[in-house]
Amino acid sequence: MFGLEKNDSKLLVIVAILTLLAPFILNPFPEGSAMAQFNAGYPDLMQRFVIFGIFAIGFNILFGLTGYLSFGHAAFLGVGSYSAVWMFKLLSMNIIPAIALSVVISGLFAIVIGYVSLRRSGIYFSILTLAFAQMSFALAYSVLTPLTNGETGLQLTLDDPRILGTSAGEGGSIPVTNLFGLEMRSAFDMAIGPWSFTFSVGYYVCAVSLLIAFYLAIRIFRSPFGLMLRAIKSNQQRLNYTGLNARPYTLAAFVISGMYAGLAGGLLAAMDPLAGAERMQWTASGEVVLMTILGGAGTLIGPVLGAGFIKYAENIFSKINENVLHGWFSFLPDSIEDGVVWLTSNFVGEGWHLTLGLIFMLVVTFLPGGLVEGGQRIARLFKGKKARDNDKSASTEPAE
């Protein structure tokens, strides 16, 4: 299917099913129930799942295939967001030109940064990318304020020209982002018994973008270009001895990865037309590293799983406060309840990063291949059990 091998086609179908049916899958608990707070089928949250999944897929092309660890990939995310908002201000509110400009500008920016940074490898490369990202962050806050609007962030106004669109919408308000007239914020609610499901236009635009990005990543992984990137990761010095220059390949991987980040930044702006320098901060770069390693660096679906897991933890676990915990443990005696709530509150709410850190430590220690390796181990366990059962049943059959 689509020129893919059988296993890759299955993987693409699985990802398509998970993304397209996400409003159902992420809302397993009825509305109003005690467990409803663990539902994640909200349009804004689902959009972040797939957008950061695209970001992590692109980062994995660089880190997972070549082994070059970038600590500055958030710079391309921020550049993509700024480019998209400027397109909304100058041209129209159609998201296609904005996203296209985000990808192009981020790619050009990646060429400049990659050309300099890839002159070094290892930790020196990582520090160089971090330095470029922090310089970009500082410039967005200071020197480039006319372009970025500094701390306030770049926003849309009624004075924007929008030469191919309208400057003001109905009632004199700022028009909303759209896809050829189909508004990104449009949504349809469907109730089935006590369950409620929301289907958002913006989410499905992001979901289709994720599927396209995932398909392209599969083609890159299975191509001769991807094989060359794996050779670089395996032993670049030995590759150089054969007479091949690895730098064009690593630069191409860096640029492709930056364009993926620009696509993610453009989609963030398309869903919420606001761009701020905080998207270029080093913490955002560290987050995509965590996503990729947690899901499984070098695998296809791993970064998507890691992005979904971290964004779920950030948005769901962080909402569990002491009032919620007191409700959970109200069956305990007061003295024990207070102690349990105090202990648990350190791992949720504002302390959710501690839980994420512990999970990351356990995964790195016991599952170096990330969540994908965990799934593979479980699959092998069930296959082994099934094989043992078959052998047992065969041994008990009487001979004919």
Side-chain angles (χ1 to χ4, degrees):
M1 184 175 67
F2 302 116
L4 302 179
E5 297 179 356
K6 184 177 179 180
N7 290 336
D8 292 335
S9 297
K10 288 181 179 179
L11 188 60
L12 181 61
V13 170
I14 290 172
V15 173
I17 292 173
L18 291 176
T19 52
L20 298 179
L21 298 182
F24 295 104
I25 298 171
L26 296 176
N27 268 342
F29 305 111
E31 290 291 324
S33 66
M35 301 296 291
Q37 62 188 341
F38 291 104
N39 287 339
Y42 312 112
D44 291 344
L45 183 52
M46 291 192 298
Q47 288 166 12
R48 297 185 73 82
F49 284 165
V50 295
I51 289 173
F52 280 90
I54 293 171
F55 189 19
I57 290 172
F59 180 80
N60 189 47
I61 292 174
L62 176 67
F63 176 55
L65 287 182
T66 70
Y68 277 76
L69 177 59
S70 169
F71 283 138
H73 248 54
F76 310 119
L77 184 75
V79 168
S81 294
Y82 281 122
S83 301
V85 175
W86 268 112
M87 186 61 78
F88 292 140
K89 292 170 72 70
L90 298 177
L91 191 63
S92 73
M93 296 300 290
N94 193 317
I95 65 171
I96 296 298
I99 292 175
L101 182 67
S102 299
V103 173
V104 171
I105 296 299
S106 296
L108 294 175
F109 193 46
I111 291 176
V112 176
I113 293 180
Y115 181 79
V116 177
S117 301
L118 288 168
R119 292 177 177 273
R120 294 292 180 266
S121 60
I123 189 62
Y124 304 105
F125 167 80
S126 301
I127 295 301
L128 279 172
T129 56
L130 176 62
F132 275 114
Q134 286 302 100
M135 283 191 293
S136 302
F137 171 74
L139 288 172
Y141 260 122
S142 56
V143 179
L144 298 180
T145 296
L147 292 176
T148 62
N149 205 26
E151 296 181 2
T152 306
L154 191 61
Q155 305 177 39
L156 302 181
T157 67
L158 289 174
D159 297 330
D160 296 331
R162 279 187 278 277
I163 57 176
L164 296 183
T166 58
S167 182
E170 296 181 3
S173 61
I174 297 174
V176 298
T177 54
N178 64 82
L179 178 62
F180 302 111
L182 195 60
E183 295 183 358
M184 292 298 99
R185 66 183 183 184
S186 297
F188 167 72
D189 294 326
M190 181 176 69
I192 302 178
W195 284 270
S196 179
F197 307 102
T198 302
F199 302 90
S200 167
V201 171
Y203 167 72
Y204 279 103
V205 168
C206 295
V208 171
S209 300
L210 172 67
L211 293 177
I212 295 173
F214 189 75
Y215 170 76
L216 293 176
I218 295 176
R219 298 304 298 262
I220 291 173
F221 267 64
R222 305 305 183 215
S223 67
F225 173 69
L227 185 62
M228 182 63 69
L229 296 182
R230 286 191 178 89
I232 293 171
K233 181 179 181 180
S234 177
N235 195 321
Q236 184 172 345
Q237 187 174 10
R238 184 176 297 175
L239 186 67
N240 292 335
Y241 288 157
T242 65
L244 290 173
N245 184 7
R247 186 174 297 174
Y249 295 95
T250 54
L251 180 59
F254 191 89
V255 172
I256 293 171
S257 184
M259 293 172 73
Y260 267 77
L263 172 61
L267 287 171
L268 281 174
M271 300 306 113
D272 181 15
L274 170 68
E278 67 278 354
R279 288 180 183 170
M280 309 173 79
Q281 204 166 9
W282 67 270
T283 52
S285 297
E287 192 174 49
V288 74
V289 175
L290 290 179
M291 291 174 181
T292 306
I293 295 176
L294 185 63
T299 64
L300 285 166
I301 199 172
V304 180
L305 297 177
F309 183 88
I310 289 181
K311 286 302 168 183
Y312 181 88
E314 178 183 350
N315 290 274
I316 302 299
F317 292 167
S318 61
K319 293 192 300 185
I320 303 175
N321 53 32
E322 291 190 0
N323 292 331
V324 175
L325 294 175
H326 276 294
W328 287 358
F329 301 110
S330 59
F331 63 92
L332 296 173
D334 291 343
S335 57
I336 299 178
E337 177 186 341
D338 292 339
V340 172
V341 169
W342 174 82
L343 179 63
T344 310
S345 63
N346 293 310
F347 296 89
V348 294
E350 295 182 356
W352 75 272
H353 290 93
L354 180 58
T355 301
L356 179 62
L358 291 174
I359 293 173
F360 184 75
M361 180 182 66
L362 292 174
V363 167
V364 171
T365 303
F366 299 103
L367 295 173
L371 298 177
V372 171
E373 182 181 343
Q376 291 172 344
R377 288 188 183 183
I378 294 173
R380 286 196 298 267
L381 181 65
F382 279 100
K383 287 182 180 178
K385 183 178 179 181
K386 184 177 180 180
R388 288 193 299 269
D389 292 341
N390 292 337
D391 292 341
K392 185 178 179 180
S393 62
S395 63
T396 56
E397 291 180 358
E400 296 183 356

